[in-house]
Amino acid sequence: MTPGAPAGTAPVTAPAVPSADAAPSADVPPADAPSAAIPSADAPPVVAALDTPERRYRMLRLIRSFEERALGLVKSGVITGGIHPYIGQEAVAVGVCAALGTGDRLASTHRGHGHVLARGLDPARLLAELAGRVGGSNRGRGGSMHAADLRLGILGANGIVGAGAPIAVGAAWADRQAGSDAVAVAFFGDGALNQGVLLESLNLAAMWRLPVLFVCENNGYATTLPAGTAVAGSATGRAAAFGIPATEVDGMDTEAVRAAAEEAVARARNGGGPSFLECRTYRFEGHHTMERLMKLHYRTTEEVAAWRERDPLPRAATALGTGLAAALDAEVAAELAAAEEFALASPHPDPAGAADHLYASGLRPRAGAVV
Ligand SMILES: Cc1ncc(C[n+]2csc(CCOP(=O)(O)OP(=O)(O)O)c2C)c(N)n1
Ligand SMILES: [Mg+2]
C-alpha cells in the first residue's frame, strides 16, 4: 500500500504532472524578438534562487516595483480589467518560496503576482501577460488571474477563492505516487477559510499525509468583509481540527515566514504530512484596482498607516544595509524598465486565433481507459 494512503485504497497511476525539471513543452509563448535583457521564450525558465538575504530583498523589491508599474499601466489603460495588487504582502511570497526546492509546486490566488514572481516567472513575461500580449507567460490569454508556468511548478493563479487548495493536494498526491519527494504549496486568503473545498482539502491531505503546505495569507479582509465578522473560530483552529500542525507567523517579516515555512517543508518532504501557516499580513492597496474609483469606508486611514509602519521592505533593507539595498533597487528598476518596454512592444494576439488553446491536447489516457 502507498505509505499514508487509507486502507483499501488501491494505488492508481497518476496522470503525470510535468516536472519542473522537464524540458519546456512546445506550448511556450512565441519568441517575439525580446530585447537583450529579456530571456528568449525558448529558454527554460529558472526557479528563483532566494537563498540569501540579498536575493530575498531583491525579490521583495521586484514584486513591489512590479506592482507599482502594473498599477500605472492599469491607470493608463494598457492593462484592462484591473488587478489585485499584492503590495504589502511581499514577505509571505518571498519567505515561503525561499523554503522551496526546484521540483516543488505552488497553487496561487487571484492576488498572485507576488507568488509567481517569487517562484521565478520572468517579470517581462508576466507584465506582457497582464497587458494581454502574445509575449506573455500564457500568450496573453490568461491575464492576471491565470498566470501559470508548469515548468516552474506554478500550477496557476486562480480567480476562484479557495480553488488552489485542491489543486495543490492533487499535485502532492500525484507527485508522491510518482515517487517524488516534491512538496506542494497552496496559497489562499482569509476569505477561503469558510470555503468547503478548503476543508475537504485539509481533510484529504491529513488522511493521506500528503506533502502540502497550506499558507493562509490573512490580510484581515475578504474584499470589504473584515475577517473578524466572518470567520468563526480561527484559521489555525481549522487545521488543528484535522490534526494538522498549524502556526501563526508575522507575515510582514520575510525571515519569520521563511523559518516557519522551512520547518513545514522539511516535515512534508520527510513524510510528516501537511502543515498550515497563518501569515498575518495586510494589503496596502485596495482589494482590486477598481477600488480606486470607489469611495469605500471599510477600513480607516489610521489602520492602513499603522500597517504601513510594518512594511516588510524597509525592515529587510535595514537588515541588509541601506547602501546595498539602494544598489539592488536601482538594478530592479532597470530590469523592470526593460520588462515594460518588452511588454509594450509585444503585439496583441490575432483575433483569428481566439479559439486556439481552449482544449488540452496530448493528454495521456490512464492505462486501461477506453478512449
Ligand atoms: C468561490 C468564490 N466566491 C467569491 C468570489 C468573489 N471574490 C473574489 S476575491 C474575494 C475575496 C477574497 O478574500 P481573501 O480570500 O481574503 O483574499 P484577499 O483578496 O484578501 O487576498 C471574493 C469574495 C470568488 N472569486 N470565488
Ligand atoms: Mg483577505
Side-chain angles (χ1 to χ4, degrees):
M1 193 173 79
T2 308
T9 302
V12 182
T13 307
V17 180
S19 145
D21 302 328
S25 76
D27 194 26
V28 294
D32 46 334
S35 83
I38 312 301
S40 154
D42 300 327
V46 179
V47 169
L50 299 172
D51 53 336
T52 63
E54 187 175 329
R55 287 175 169 161
R56 291 192 283 279
Y57 174 77
R58 192 185 192 285
M59 185 56 76
L60 291 171
R61 175 58 67 195
L62 183 82
I63 297 169
R64 173 71 54 92
S65 300
F66 179 96
E67 292 291 62
E68 287 167 350
R69 208 169 261 274
L71 285 176
L73 293 176
V74 170
K75 209 169 171 190
S76 63
V78 171
I79 295 173
T80 55
I83 59 169
H84 299 86
Y86 195 67
I87 291 174
Q89 301 186 201
E90 296 90 345
V92 180
V94 176
V96 169
C97 288
L100 300 180
T102 53
D104 295 336
R105 307 182 193 279
L106 65 84
S108 177
T109 68
H110 56 286
R111 199 177 301 288
H113 304 166
H115 309 144
V116 300
L117 289 170
R119 187 60 183 161
L121 197 66
D122 178 2
R125 300 272 168 209
L126 182 60
L127 207 52
E129 187 58 34
L130 303 193
R133 310 302 175 99
V134 295
S137 50
N138 302 88
R139 302 184 184 215
R141 290 154 188 272
S144 168
M145 285 192 277
H146 301 100
D149 193 330
L150 297 184
R151 299 168 301 171
L152 292 169
I154 299 170
L155 304 171
N158 204 311
I160 304 170
V161 170
I167 293 172
V169 167
W173 182 82
D175 274 336
R176 198 180 57 190
Q177 293 296 106
S180 153
D181 70 350
V183 174
V185 176
F187 287 102
F188 52 92
D190 47 286
L193 289 171
N194 298 325
Q195 290 291 346
V197 73
L198 178 71
L199 305 176
E200 293 172 47
S201 300
L202 291 169
N203 183 58
L204 274 186
M207 283 300 294
W208 295 346
R209 284 180 79 79
L210 292 175
V212 182
L213 174 54
F214 293 93
V215 178
C216 177
E217 294 189 78
N218 185 352
N219 59 12
Y221 296 90
T223 317
T224 57
L225 185 66
T229 65
V231 180
S234 66
T236 50
R238 281 159 172 69
F242 295 98
I244 296 176
T247 317
E248 192 185 309
V249 66
D250 179 0
M252 308 304 273
D253 181 344
T254 314
E255 299 309 314
V257 174
R258 181 177 62 88
E262 276 180 356
E263 191 183 323
V265 166
R267 180 165 47 239
R269 218 183 289 294
N270 294 325
S275 301
F276 187 105
L277 275 190
E278 179 189 1
C279 302
R280 290 299 190 100
T281 184
Y282 202 77
R283 57 171 163 73
F284 296 164
E285 290 289 320
H287 169 71
H288 182 268
T289 40
M290 278 295 285
E291 198 176 311
R292 290 190 157 199
L293 308 174
M294 301 161 146
K295 293 269 176 291
L296 301 176
H297 301 288
Y298 65 95
R299 56 185 195 175
T300 61
T301 46
E302 291 77 20
E303 181 183 299
V304 179
W307 276 93
R308 277 189 182 276
E309 288 293 312
R310 301 181 52 202
D311 189 334
L313 272 89
R315 184 196 294 227
T318 305
L320 191 63
T322 46
L324 178 52
L328 293 168
D329 292 351
E331 217 180 278
V332 166
E335 182 181 347
L336 290 176
E340 184 168 331
E341 200 182 311
F342 167 77
L344 298 186
S346 180
H348 287 281
D350 180 355
D356 295 347
H357 312 297
L358 290 183
Y359 297 98
S361 57
L363 285 182
R364 275 161 293 192
R366 284 186 185 176
V370 180
V371 289

